[in-house]
Every structure is written in structure tokens, then in C-alpha cells.
Amino acid sequence: MFPLYQKSGTRRDQARQLIRDLETRGAKAFPAFLECLSGCGYQDLADLLQKENQTSPHHPGRLPPVDLPIYNPIDIRRPDRVPGPQPKEVPLHPGESNVFPAPSPGERETDCRTRRTRRDSLQTYKMDASPCGLCLIINNVEFRQLSDRSGSDIDCDKLERRFRSLNFIVTVRRNLKQKQIKMELSSLAKKDHSGYDCCVVVLLSHGAEVSHNRFPGAVYGVDALPVPVQLITNYLNGQNCPSLQSKPKLFFIQACGGDEKDTGFEVSPDEVEPRPGGADDQMDAIPTSSSSDSLSTSDEPDARTSLPTPSDILVSYSTFPGYVSWRDTQAGSWYVENLDRILEENAATDDLVTMLMMVNDVVSQNSAKGLYKQMPGSFNFLRKHLYFQAPPGSRSPA
């Protein structure tokens, strides 16, 4: 029987010893043991123990006869194929026949996730004020110690018309020195923007790579002194301009991010459609500056040594930090030309970030002098989708 009871003598003696041991474990121990033996295929052993229990002389604690359960195989067929009446569906709410109706046979394999309603978690900035906001364009063309920026007036005219069509009040300032740039930004920050939904700053100038801890690059005044981009954005952040808190602040910078030229890399002809640059492509670069003295802001009351988190700010650069930005003296810069065109064609239907990716794609396919490339990009700290007001006569987003 079991190794533990082999020393008890005959098979009958072993059975008696097992029964006596089970008696000490309560009235339910023996029936439970027999049920376990039957379920495991030891029916002959269960019958032996049952017979021995019934034929043994009665004494206190003797176990009564046990009726062993009858085991039937479990029907593992699909519920919809089991014969007989099916359970009635009970509605979860009174008055409803069935809250979750059973799918038809053709729908049984459909992923349940398709029944969920998708919801875009990103909200949209309020952009319905009239006027929508203020737009400041600083256009530096004639420099004392640097080359003039021929073609920049073309860029300025395009963007002035474009942002006016998007319902912005546009102010243009031309040929500003470093200190004058700071004064214009400070004046913009001190205005009351409570009645507006957005603020735009456009900077057209020479530029270079400078030391930074947030936004790279700097733009130059016509006196060849730099204003770092991180300082420019700081004028309009939520701390220095409370009336623009939680509202989008947009900066578009046509300037070099350094003096390195990008020759690109070879790709399949099917990957891009090459576009030649203008007949007279020039750079908006000057030698790299890393002097911390030239970036001092101790004389500016609106400047902050420790910058707060730049929420609701987007800075769009005409080129990747460290690289030159190309400008055609007859048609204007690659970046502004395509930014203006894409805003004209898509502002009524697409959000700003999507349109900037369109600009990136088009500009990246241009080539200066048949060799050099340019890659725009942006530092995006917006928290919501941004849709400009559709110009009159344009198609509104669906």
C-alpha cells in the first residue's frame, strides 16, 4: 500500500492501520481520503478501505459507510455549442435589453480595443482674440564691422505680410544695436498682453554659437555685439511677463548657429528631390564667440541669472546649432522663404509644429553652391496644439 504501513503486516492489516490513523484526524478525514483516491484512479484501493471499515468490529469512533461521488467528464465544448437551453442574459440596468450585446459570429475575432473611443489628450491653445497678439520683427541688414545682409529686407517684408494676415499687430525695427535689441524686448515684455492670445518675435540677423545652458545661439546687433537667445526668450517668460503666462511665445530666428558648413551625406535619389540654391547664396555667420563678458546682463533689470522653466515657448531656428544658415541675396533666406509659403498654404488646416516639420523637410533638400546643406529645427516647450487664425478666404480646419 504505502511504505509507511508496510511493517503493519498483511494488506488487510495495513488498511486497518490506515483507517485508525484517519480516525484521529476527524470525521471528515476518511471520506475525504477516499474521494481523493477515487479521483486519482485508485478505485480498487478505495473499495478495499471502504470494505474494511464496514466489516471491522464496531468501536467508538468507527467511521460510518461513505458514499463515494460519481465523476463525470467536464464538457469543454464552446458555450454556444452546448446542447440544451442557454442561460438568459441579465441586463445590468433596468429597462435595457442588453448593455453589451453579444457579437455576431463574424465579429467574434474582432479585437475589443477597436470598440474604445480614441481621445486626443493634447488640448489646443486659445487663439481667437482679435487681434491675436503682438509680433515684433527685428531686421538687421547693415553692419559696421560685418558684411551686410543683402536679401534680408525680402524676408522681413514676407513675414510682416504673413503675420498681419494671421491677425497679429506687427512692429518692424531695422538695424538695431545690441542695447537697442534688449530695449525693444524689454518694452514688449512690459506691455499688457491680457487681451491677446499669443506673442511672436522674429529676428533676422547675423548669428553665432555661444555658451548657453538652455537655448543655443545668439543674434548680433549691427554693432557686432551678441544677444544670446536664452536671454531673448527670458524677457517674455511667465515670470518677467505675467500677462503672457500660459500663452504661447513664439520665436523665429534667421541667423547662423555657428560657422560650420554641412556637406550632408549621400542618399538614394528616391529619398529626396534635390533643389539647387539661389544664384548668390550667402551665410549669416560670423566667427564663433564664447566670451562670457560679452553676454553680461547685469545692467538689464529684466534679465535673470537663473532662468525659470520656459513653458509655452517655441524657438524655431533656421539652422542646426553650430552650423551656418544660407540666404539668397535676390530671393531671401531658404528658411524664411519656405516658412512664409507653408504658413500661407497650411495655416488654415495644420498646427504650428506640423508646419515647422514641413519647413524642415523642404529646406533640408536645398543645396548651396551645389554642395552645402541646411537643417532647421526647433526647441519646443509648448504644452498644446497651436493653430493660427485662418486668414480671410482660407479653408478652416475640419
Side-chain angles (χ1 to χ4, degrees):
M1 185 178 290
F2 299 98
L4 180 62
Y5 299 100
Q6 289 178 354
K7 297 181 179 181
S8 299
T10 64
R11 186 176 179 83
R12 184 177 297 277
D13 294 335
Q14 295 175 13
R16 291 173 180 171
Q17 182 61 44
L18 177 58
I19 293 172
R20 285 194 293 270
D21 289 343
L22 289 171
E23 290 175 359
T24 64
R25 287 170 171 77
K28 296 182 180 180
F30 183 64
F33 184 70
L34 293 184
E35 182 179 347
C36 181
L37 289 176
S38 298
C40 295
Y42 295 100
Q43 186 61 48
D44 57 339
L45 182 56
D47 292 341
L48 173 62
L49 293 175
Q50 177 78 312
K51 182 179 179 181
E52 181 61 29
N53 178 57
Q54 295 174 358
T55 58
S56 298
H58 178 74
H59 64 83
R62 178 61 60 195
L63 300 176
V66 178
D67 293 329
L68 296 179
I70 300 176
Y71 290 91
N72 294 319
I74 299 175
D75 193 336
I76 59 174
R77 292 176 294 175
R78 291 174 56 176
D80 57 342
R81 296 180 182 176
V82 177
Q86 299 297 310
K88 183 179 179 181
E89 292 182 347
V90 179
L92 296 181
H93 302 283
E96 297 182 3
S97 59
N98 196 340
V99 179
F100 300 104
S104 61
E107 298 176 336
R108 292 189 185 279
E109 302 303 325
T110 302
D111 191 334
C112 64
R113 289 174 294 180
T114 61
R115 297 178 181 273
R116 299 178 183 172
T117 301
R118 295 187 60 185
R119 182 172 66 89
D120 195 341
S121 60
L122 285 178
Q123 298 177 345
T124 301
Y125 283 108
K126 178 183 178 298
M127 291 285 286
D128 57 3
S130 186
C132 184
L134 303 181
C135 173
L136 171 65
I137 300 178
I138 296 176
N139 179 29
N140 285 347
V141 181
E142 300 166 354
F143 290 77
R144 296 179 181 177
Q145 303 175 21
L146 306 172
S147 61
D148 291 345
R149 300 182 60 254
S150 301
S152 185
D153 286 332
I154 299 174
D155 288 345
C156 183
D157 292 342
K158 287 180 179 178
L159 293 182
E160 181 180 1
R161 289 194 300 270
R162 182 59 47 214
F163 282 103
R164 288 190 191 279
S165 72
L166 297 175
N167 202 14
F168 282 83
I169 300 175
V170 181
T171 300
V172 178
R173 295 289 183 261
R174 195 173 189 270
N175 293 335
L176 299 185
K177 299 177 182 179
Q178 179 203 55
K179 188 173 183 178
Q180 291 173 321
I181 294 175
K182 294 179 180 180
M183 290 176 60
E184 286 293 335
L185 292 170
S186 178
S187 176
L188 180 63
K190 292 176 181 178
K191 292 181 181 296
D192 183 6
H193 299 262
S194 301
Y196 306 129
D197 290 333
C198 182
C199 186
V200 174
V201 175
V202 178
L203 297 134
L204 311 172
S205 186
H206 282 301
E209 186 176 15
V210 297
S211 58
H212 65 92
N213 57 13
R214 276 173 177 77
F215 295 101
V219 297
Y220 282 82
V222 294
D223 52 359
L225 296 178
V227 183
V229 175
Q230 67 181 30
L231 175 61
I232 293 171
T233 60
N234 192 41
Y235 278 102
L236 300 182
N237 64 33
Q239 178 177 339
N240 294 327
C241 187
S243 61
L244 279 176
Q245 289 179 357
S246 302
K247 299 179 181 180
K249 282 81 67 174
L250 311 178
F251 299 83
F252 299 91
I253 299 176
Q254 166 55 45
C256 282
D259 53 8
E260 186 173 352
K261 298 178 182 178
D262 181 15
T263 57
F265 60 93
E266 293 186 9
V267 296
S268 167
D270 298 332
E271 187 73 17
V272 296
E273 180 182 350
R275 295 184 177 90
D280 188 11
D281 291 318
Q282 295 183 355
M283 300 176 294
D284 280 330
I286 67 172
T288 301
S289 170
S290 60
S291 171
S292 59
D293 294 337
S294 65
L295 306 182
S296 174
T297 60
S298 58
D299 59 337
E300 287 294 320
D302 294 304
R304 293 289 184 271
T305 303
S306 178
L307 300 177
T309 302
S311 61
D312 305 298
I313 287 178
L314 183 143
V315 181
S316 177
Y317 292 89
S318 63
T319 189
F320 194 82
Y323 287 86
V324 300
S325 183
W326 294 95
R327 170 178 34 81
D328 189 306
T329 59
Q330 304 299 320
S333 65
W334 297 357
Y335 169 73
V336 172
E337 178 184 11
N338 288 285
L339 174 64
D340 173 62
R341 178 180 60 81
I342 288 173
L343 284 173
E344 179 183 16
E345 296 174 355
N346 301 277
T349 56
D350 293 303
D351 69 285
L352 175 60
V353 174
T354 298
M355 290 189 287
L356 289 179
M357 284 192 290
M358 296 178 185
V359 175
N360 294 351
D361 178 54
V362 176
V363 174
S364 69
Q365 298 179 40
N366 285 357
S367 295
K369 308 181 188 303
L371 177 63
Y372 300 114
K373 309 295 292 184
Q374 180 177 327
M375 185 69 237
S378 60
F379 278 55
N380 179 13
F381 294 92
L382 299 180
R383 298 177 294 110
K384 307 175 184 179
H385 288 304
L386 190 151
Y387 291 90
F388 288 113
Q389 293 183 21
S394 63
R395 182 167 56 90
S396 299

